[in-house]
């Protein structure tokens, strides 16, 4: 018998976690007065807070995941031999199986891989097109003498555009660049899935396939930033008709097959606290990378990781591609985002994969961009409830390497980044309530003045004063 008051229970089934909690880490509670003092001492930069003064840490999803009992068991099986650790071979086998690349060089984390890749492939005067910059990736490209060129679709720069794949590459922009500088000046196309600085926005399989075809015509390589490629695969499954019934692992494998290699920060998708890799399909390039790695990271069978870390990552990869894991992971991000949307708080839409991004331009319209509205908002959220977020706007964008002028990015955002398998739904509720409180009191907030600016990646260490 059907009951008009109830919809089908199957349709209502939520994203609940496919795990239960076995170990907990107590958190310190602080007073508002203590937090005001702590953020002032940190120069209004959330990177400079001590983590023990933080209640809910949404600074980053990098290296902050909770590992499973299966991963911790693997840690006990660490083979800490200097050369030829069996954990390296387990890791290599899983990267080959799930990502599909041929040759693997382990690195201590993502930027280690970016350094080696940039040194091998980029010559002074080269151009590297990509779907929006990422801070460390662009810096390594520039240090190698290259110039990054943003070829993402325009919608990515608009916080309110509802385009389902805001990480897509604009093929016209890419073609224009190839015609302008010539294919021989483009060592590779730098493709990220999902796009961190755009709000965790995915690139579609159809778009990557087209980019691959265009790149092949011109003999240009594609290198994937695979840091959150599993999350990207989830959006492909949800939003691209042909992939609705395909497993995440199958989608990931096809996605990577359109690229010639990848850099990877294992600290995100792969559910570990440290680790990364560089993967390449070309044997000669791999040989070069494997040789350079001994200068910067360590031997080519550990690359800066302990054996136990490699085992944890090998096992983390297996867990990361499970459909129920990724559904719950992104389900939690969407839960927080939907709550904020329901309460009329300005955030980047569609909701991305690893974080909710507050739109500081609409949140604090009274603060001009040169007075760092997103930096101010992140500091205020900490004072309000001990929640730590990260600026992703003018401070992060830095300065042009040619003119030394500040970039003024269209997106001036605060990232509430959700660590994997760490926080509960109640933590998400409290986070939303704190954001709402700050929003309610937003009119009284003023901007900041930068009083110390480091040369590289300034957002990590810059200091500010209240205006
Ligand atoms: C998209 C993306 N690429 C590369 C990196 C660099 O990785 P890592 O922090 O492991 O050096 C990160 C995070 O830093 C990232 O989010
Ligand atoms: N990749 C990590 C850590 C990081 C943060 C900010 C950066 O600009 C660079 C690295 C993240 O996105 O959270």
């Amino acid at each position: 018998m059907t009951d008009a008051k109830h919809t089908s229970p199957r349709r209502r089934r939520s994203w609940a976690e496919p795990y239960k909690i076995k170990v907990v880490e107590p958190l310190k509670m602080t007073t508002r007065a203590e937090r005001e003092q702590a953020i002032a001492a940190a120069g209004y930069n959330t990177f400079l807070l001590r983590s023990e003064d933080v209640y809910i840490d949404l600074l980053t999803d990098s290296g902050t995941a909770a590992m499973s009992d299966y991963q911790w068991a693997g840690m006990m099986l660490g083979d800490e031999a200097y050369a030829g650790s069996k954990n390296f071979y387990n890791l290599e086998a899983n990267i080959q199986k799930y990502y599909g690349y041929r040759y693997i060089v382990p690195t201590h984390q993502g930027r280690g891989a970016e350094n080696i890749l940039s040194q091998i492939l980029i010559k002074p005067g080269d151009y590297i097109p990509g779907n929006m910059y990422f801070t460390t990736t662009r810096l390594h490209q520039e240090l190698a003498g290259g110039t990054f060129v943003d070829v993402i679709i325009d919608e990515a720069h608009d916080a309110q555009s509802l385009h389902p794949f805001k990480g897509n590459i604009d093929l016209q922009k890419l073609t224009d660049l190839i015609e302008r500088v010539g294919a021989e000046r483009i060592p590779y196309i730098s493709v990220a899935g999902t796009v961190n600085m755009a709000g965790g926005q995915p690139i579609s399989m159809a778009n990557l396939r087209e980019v691959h075809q265009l790149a092949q015509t011109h003999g240009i390589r594609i290198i994937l930033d695979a840091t959150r490629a599993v999350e990207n695969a989830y959006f492909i499954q949800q939003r691209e008709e042909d992939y609705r019934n395909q497993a995440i692992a199958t989608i990931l494998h096809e996605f990577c097959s359109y690229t010639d290699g990848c850099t990877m920060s294992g600290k995100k998708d792969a559910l570990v606290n440290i680790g990364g890799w560089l993967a390449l399909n070309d044997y000669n390039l791999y040989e070069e990378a494997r040789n350079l790695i001994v200068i910067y990271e360590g031997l080519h069978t550990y690359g800066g990781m302990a054996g136990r870390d490699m085992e944890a990552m090998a096992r983390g990869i297996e867990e990361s591609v499970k459909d129920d894991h990724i559904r719950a992971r992104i389900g939690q991000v969407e839960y927080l985002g939907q709550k904020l949307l329901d309460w009329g708080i300005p955030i980047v839409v569609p909701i991305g994969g690893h974080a909710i991004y507050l739109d500081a331009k609409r949140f604090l319209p009274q603060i001009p961009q040169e007075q760092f509205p997103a930096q101010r908002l992140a500091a205020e959220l900490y004072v309000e409830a001990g929640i730590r977020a990260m600026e992703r706007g003018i401070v992060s964008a830095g300065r042009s390497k040619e003119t030394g002028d500040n970039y003024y990015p269209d997106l001036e955002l605060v990232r509430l980044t959700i660590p994997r398998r760490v926080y509960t739904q109640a933590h998400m509720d409290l986070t939303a309530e704190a954001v709402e409180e700050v929003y309610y009191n937003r009119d009284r907030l003023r901007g900041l003045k930068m009083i110390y600016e480091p040369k590289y990646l300034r957002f990590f260490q810059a200091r500010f004063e209240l205006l």
Side-chain angles (χ1 to χ4, degrees):
M1 200 175 76
T2 51
D3 176 346
K5 279 197 305 219
H6 296 285
T7 52
S8 152
R10 263 201 86 71
R11 281 189 33 224
R12 280 192 283 109
R13 201 154 299 168
S14 90
W15 53 269
E17 295 84 353
Y19 55 84
K20 58 186 175 178
I21 296 167
K22 181 141 63 182
V23 176
V24 296
E25 179 183 343
L27 298 170
K28 185 174 106 182
M29 309 304 277
T30 50
T31 63
R32 189 178 185 95
E34 285 168 340
R35 292 194 294 274
E36 277 170 353
Q37 208 182 6
I39 195 73
Y44 295 90
N45 185 345
T46 52
F47 278 105
L48 301 179
L49 288 166
R50 286 172 181 246
S51 95
E52 63 174 356
D53 294 335
V54 173
Y55 174 42
I56 301 178
D57 202 347
L58 307 184
L59 182 70
T60 176
D61 63 330
S62 184
T64 53
M67 292 207 297
S68 66
D69 51 2
Y70 176 61
Q71 287 176 288
W72 279 107
M75 297 283 280
M76 288 304 291
L77 302 176
D79 169 3
E80 306 306 342
Y82 187 86
S85 162
K86 71 176 177 209
N87 310 115
F88 167 72
Y89 296 105
N90 293 344
L91 174 62
E92 181 185 55
N94 272 357
I95 298 169
Q96 287 167 338
K97 176 172 173 191
Y98 292 106
Y99 289 79
Y101 298 111
R102 264 179 232 140
Y103 307 112
I104 317 300
V105 183
T107 59
H108 76 285
Q109 60 182 83
R111 67 199 78 172
E114 291 170 351
N115 173 33
I116 303 298
L117 178 81
S118 302
Q119 287 203 39
I120 295 174
L121 286 182
I122 301 173
K123 293 185 303 304
D126 280 351
Y127 294 86
I128 305 95
N131 52 350
M132 203 174 268
Y133 84 99
F134 185 70
T135 55
T136 56
T137 319
R138 183 179 66 189
L139 180 59
H140 280 296
Q141 291 162 353
E142 290 178 353
L143 290 172
T147 300
F148 175 78
V149 183
D150 188 6
V151 293
I152 203 166
I153 57 171
D154 288 342
E155 286 86 342
H157 294 279
D158 174 359
Q160 286 169 274
S161 160
L162 280 167
H163 193 294
F165 288 104
K166 284 164 93 171
N168 279 359
I169 285 182
D170 184 326
L171 291 157
Q172 193 55 53
K173 287 186 192 171
L174 182 56
T175 307
D176 290 348
L177 180 75
I178 298 171
E179 280 171 10
R180 185 162 64 80
V181 305
E184 60 291 349
R185 306 297 297 278
I186 303 179
Y188 63 96
I189 303 166
S190 179
V191 176
T194 58
V195 181
N196 196 350
M197 302 303 282
Q201 303 294 328
I203 164 168
S204 71
M205 191 77 89
N207 184 252
L208 184 59
R209 204 180 296 122
E210 282 183 316
V211 173
H212 169 71
Q213 275 156 9
L214 182 66
Q216 284 222 309
T217 324
H218 294 277
I220 304 174
R221 290 185 191 86
I222 301 178
I223 301 291
L224 178 67
D225 181 337
T227 296
R228 299 183 184 82
V230 179
E231 292 176 359
N232 201 98
Y234 178 76
F235 288 113
I236 289 174
Q237 187 190 56
Q238 297 301 305
R239 297 182 188 168
E240 245 176 304
E241 193 58 42
D242 295 348
Y243 295 90
R244 194 144 294 167
N245 297 317
Q246 288 203 24
I248 291 297
T250 312
I251 297 173
L252 177 69
H253 204 278
E254 180 183 339
F255 191 72
C256 296
S257 75
Y258 299 123
T259 71
D260 302 285
C262 80
T263 55
M264 175 73 181
S265 171
K267 301 170 70 174
K268 285 82 165 178
D269 270 353
L271 296 164
V272 285
N273 306 123
I274 194 71
W277 72 76
L278 170 63
L280 293 161
N281 286 339
D282 178 312
Y283 184 77
N284 293 331
L285 285 180
Y286 159 67
E287 257 201 323
E288 268 188 73
R290 192 178 58 167
N291 192 207
L292 271 188
I293 218 78
V294 299
I295 309 176
Y296 295 102
E297 302 280 318
L299 194 72
H300 57 274
T301 53
Y302 76 85
M305 282 180 281
R308 53 182 173 269
D309 295 327
M310 291 191 281
E311 188 61 33
M313 189 152 74
R315 292 174 179 221
I317 292 169
E318 288 169 23
E319 294 182 351
S320 75
V321 298
K322 294 209 157 87
D323 285 53
D324 53 1
H325 158 72
I326 198 72
R327 174 167 177 266
R329 187 301 185 262
I330 295 183
Q332 186 177 42
V333 177
E334 286 174 342
Y335 174 82
L336 173 61
Q338 195 53 52
K339 200 151 209 175
L340 293 173
L341 281 176
D342 291 346
W343 293 350
I345 313 258
I347 66 170
V348 174
V349 285
I351 294 165
H354 65 299
I356 298 303
Y357 292 69
L358 305 177
D359 184 353
K361 282 190 176 171
R362 281 187 293 147
F363 205 115
L364 297 176
Q366 74 274 25
I367 303 182
Q369 199 167 15
E370 54 277 12
Q371 293 177 10
F372 314 112
Q375 187 78 27
R376 180 70 187 88
L377 181 51
E380 191 60 21
L381 201 56
Y382 171 71
V383 172
E384 177 61 39
I387 293 167
R388 170 154 71 169
M390 181 192 297
E391 193 263 13
R392 295 278 80 175
I394 185 168
V395 185
S396 298
R399 295 176 182 274
S400 154
K401 101 175 161 149
E402 274 86 35
T403 65
D405 293 339
N406 277 316
Y407 287 116
Y408 283 81
D410 290 333
L411 297 176
E412 178 72 24
L413 310 173
V414 172
R415 189 181 76 175
L416 301 165
T417 336
I418 315 301
R420 296 167 183 78
R421 308 194 292 207
V422 170
Y423 290 113
T424 65
Q425 191 157 331
H427 286 122
M428 296 300 106
D429 289 340
L430 189 139
T431 300
E433 288 157 14
V435 172
E436 193 193 28
E437 187 69 27
V438 175
Y439 191 60
Y440 183 75
N441 292 312
R442 64 194 181 279
D443 290 346
R444 62 177 177 76
L445 296 182
R446 299 289 164 264
L448 296 168
K449 183 173 141 203
M450 198 189 291
I451 54 168
Y452 167 65
E453 178 178 357
K455 186 161 168 207
Y456 301 114
L457 304 174
R458 64 182 184 183
F459 53 90
F460 281 133
Q461 292 153 335
R463 300 184 71 85
F464 302 82
E465 257 172 21
L466 287 178
L467 277 176

